[in-house]
Amino acid sequence: MKRIRSGAGRSRQQPRIGAPDPALTANAGLAAITELCGRLGVIGALDAAVGPVKQRDRGFGAGELLAGIAAAQLAGEDFLTGLDRQRADAAGQQITPVPGLASTTAAGLARRVTPAQWQAVETGLAAVTGRMLALLPAPRAAALAGGPVTIDLDTTDVEVYGRKKRGVAYNHQGQRVGRPHVASWAETEIVLAADLGDGTDDPRATAPDLLRRALAALPAAARASGRVAMRADAGYFAGQLARAAHDAKIAFAIGAKRIAPLWRLLAGIAEEDWHDAIDMDGAQVAVAEYCPDWWPASTRLLIRRVLLDPAQVSADPRSRRRRTLHPDQRALPIPELAQQPAIYAYSFIMTNLDVSSPGKAIAAEHWYRHRTTVENIFRDSKHGAALRHLPSGYPQVNLAWMWGALLAASMAAWLHQLTAATAGKDILAGHGVRGGKAMIATLRWRLIAVPGRLTRHARHLTLRLPPGHGLLPEVLARLRDLPAPA
């Protein structure tokens, strides 16, 4: 295997690394990440978007900072000091995307990046996603860009410890947390835009700006499809987000809080107005005329009810499921609740989608129900990468750590799109154990944390793998078949 150089453009001083042969590296799959970064020009795109973070043009830039953190997290490192462990692996440094990055260097660089430059990271990732789309087979690229294109908004809490840690606050559960606020492209599970707040931040305040940035980060072909839509849960129940979507000429579906006016609407819905939902046992969907003040005039209310067994309802009034019951049933003790002719859990969705017929309403509710794809990104970033904690007392370092984890999740998505087996517009099989998109933990087990031996001959590095590890050569071959970036 020839040595893979990361990024594009300017040169920098390479650290002195000892000869690799006959050393053993435990993360041979980082060669695939390095090849991916090279083919997509990840480091060069991030450097071009963010710009210089130091006066002297030497050492590491913002692109190498984030790519180095992402590669370390993909390799299983949970803390900033994991960068030092990676740096101590002489053989592994020959195949990592960013050799020589130390934890102290990474923390110092992160503190130099300005808030405007952190937002510019989104521009760099957008450029990489556009390149990924251009490298896909034409039928697959057309299917992704032609729509439907869905933007999911959501937040997650990352619990931290230490009373002196800055940029965090106590949430309603009494946990000291930072709060990533993320917009993603649901069909690809690629991160488009993100902010890092604290446990007191209300996502409704910044959601319109995040949506506009996410739309700007979509590839031009996807934005031009005319089939872009946005989904969000009840934490975003606010007219300003709906108006932002309306002004951008995209569809929206936003969960509604269970407030008194919505409960009163149920009395006006006849039994024949309820229609069975798709792929959800005991669920039915109806439509009501409801448009709050300051919402777009085309807004309608979708209602879903799910038939429950009394045994499924907890006696604890704090139970999440119990809060979905009608207020008249919610106040009943369990023995009296069990005697009711039917017990339903209700959900409300505000949307400007066309729900004029039962079939369209059912399809809209089914589409909205799949907004959990953004939760897969959170799960992957936390349990596959290392967003389950924030390692520093400095908010800028924690922001770099968050972007490293989100970049790792996006790398997994880019790798899936570029190397999965396709037939026309459809993906037949990915690298997951069930044939789909692999989570980072699965990629680490099957692709990245593979032992390999590096040897040097005639100024070329050769990576030798033990028997039974055929996925890495297959992925490398598919990546090398792609054209290099201009």
Side-chain angles (χ1 to χ4, degrees):
M1 184 194 74
K2 294 180 65 177
R3 179 171 180 177
I4 304 172
R5 295 187 183 274
S6 62
R10 63 180 179 81
S11 62
R12 61 176 175 82
Q13 289 185 348
Q14 294 284 349
R16 296 175 61 90
I17 300 175
D21 48 333
L24 186 72
T25 176
N27 291 311
L30 284 178
I33 303 304
T34 301
E35 194 72 41
L36 177 73
C37 290
R39 295 294 168 178
L40 293 179
V42 175
I43 294 175
L46 289 171
D47 280 340
V50 175
V53 296
K54 307 184 299 294
Q55 289 184 347
R56 300 179 67 186
D57 189 17
R58 60 177 294 180
F60 299 98
E64 289 155 322
L65 167 68
L66 295 181
I69 292 175
Q73 293 190 21
L74 286 169
E77 302 295 349
D78 292 334
F79 298 92
L80 274 172
T81 52
L83 294 170
D84 299 324
R85 283 191 290 271
Q86 294 289 312
R87 190 169 182 250
D89 178 10
Q93 289 292 281
Q94 303 291 321
I95 57 174
T96 191
V98 184
L101 181 63
S103 60
T104 52
T105 303
L109 282 174
R111 292 170 62 186
R112 291 173 176 264
V113 183
T114 66
Q117 287 177 315
W118 281 122
Q119 285 200 4
V121 169
E122 300 164 5
T123 305
L125 294 183
V128 177
T129 300
R131 292 172 187 170
M132 181 275 296
L133 198 64
L135 291 175
L136 290 177
R140 177 64 183 161
L144 284 177
V149 176
T150 307
I151 296 175
D152 283 342
L153 303 184
D154 206 354
T155 62
T156 186
D157 283 354
V158 179
E159 188 170 8
V160 302
Y161 302 93
R163 60 185 179 85
K164 294 184 179 181
K165 188 163 286 191
R166 289 173 282 178
V168 297
Y170 289 100
N171 65 6
H172 67 284
Q173 294 179 318
Q175 299 167 320
R176 194 173 173 84
V177 301
R179 180 169 291 167
H181 188 191
V182 175
S184 67
W185 182 1
E187 285 74 19
T188 60
E189 296 190 15
I190 292 173
V191 174
L192 299 174
D195 293 318
L196 179 60
D198 60 41
T200 61
D201 284 345
D202 188 341
R204 293 175 295 182
T206 57
D209 179 62
L210 189 70
L211 175 62
R212 285 187 284 267
R213 285 156 42 200
L215 286 169
L218 279 175
R223 292 198 307 271
S225 68
R227 300 183 63 191
V228 181
M230 180 271 297
R231 298 182 294 204
D233 63 17
Y236 295 86
F237 182 46
Q240 56 264 38
L241 178 58
R243 292 196 303 274
H246 176 77
D247 293 343
K249 297 180 172 56
I250 66 171
F252 65 82
I254 303 172
K257 294 186 181 295
R258 298 175 180 90
I259 55 179
L262 302 187
W263 291 120
R264 290 195 292 267
L265 285 174
L266 294 177
I269 301 176
E271 194 62 31
E272 59 268 19
D273 293 333
W274 293 98
H275 304 278
D276 291 339
I278 301 173
D279 296 334
M280 191 173 186
D281 294 338
Q284 294 179 312
V285 179
V287 179
E289 294 290 330
Y290 178 73
C291 181
D293 289 342
W294 305 109
W295 285 64
S298 57
T299 303
R300 296 294 178 268
L301 177 66
L302 267 178
I303 307 173
R304 180 182 67 230
R305 69 179 186 182
V306 182
L307 185 64
L308 299 178
D309 186 90
Q312 296 176 280
V313 182
S314 171
D316 189 341
R318 299 170 298 176
S319 164
R320 183 174 182 178
R321 175 167 286 168
R322 193 176 182 88
R323 292 198 301 268
T324 66
L325 303 184
H326 191 282
D328 293 342
Q329 292 185 335
R330 193 188 313 156
L332 296 176
I334 292 296
E336 295 183 23
L337 185 64
Q339 296 175 2
Q340 295 291 304
I343 304 172
Y344 289 107
Y346 291 92
S347 299
F348 302 96
I349 306 158
M350 307 297 300
T351 182
N352 64 347
L353 290 167
D354 183 4
V355 292
S356 56
S357 67
K360 292 178 179 178
I362 292 170
E365 186 278 330
H366 182 257
W367 166 79
Y368 176 79
R369 202 189 314 149
H370 286 79
R371 62 179 176 78
T372 52
T373 52
V374 70
E375 296 176 5
N376 288 338
I377 295 177
F378 289 146
R379 182 179 63 175
D380 220 14
S381 300
K382 288 184 174 182
H383 302 296
L387 192 56
R388 54 189 172 274
H389 78 115
L390 299 173
S392 176
Y394 293 98
Q396 304 97 317
V397 181
N398 291 332
L399 195 55
W401 190 255
M402 179 197 76
W403 269 117
L406 297 178
L407 178 57
S410 296
M411 284 179 175
W414 294 329
L415 189 70
H416 174 67
Q417 295 294 333
L418 290 173
T419 64
T422 60
K425 66 178 183 179
D426 298 320
I427 289 182
L428 294 181
H431 309 308
V433 293
R434 296 178 179 85
K437 177 181 176 294
M439 306 297 284
I440 291 176
T442 301
L443 281 178
R444 184 179 301 124
W445 167 59
R446 299 190 66 213
L447 179 70
I448 298 173
V450 174
R453 189 174 296 276
L454 280 172
T455 59
R456 187 190 301 275
H457 178 70
R459 296 186 179 182
H460 292 277
L461 288 177
T462 302
L463 178 60
R464 304 186 185 279
L465 301 177
H469 291 281
L471 180 59
L472 178 55
E474 176 187 337
V475 169
L476 282 172
R478 291 185 182 180
L479 289 173
R480 287 168 179 164
D481 286 340
L482 300 172

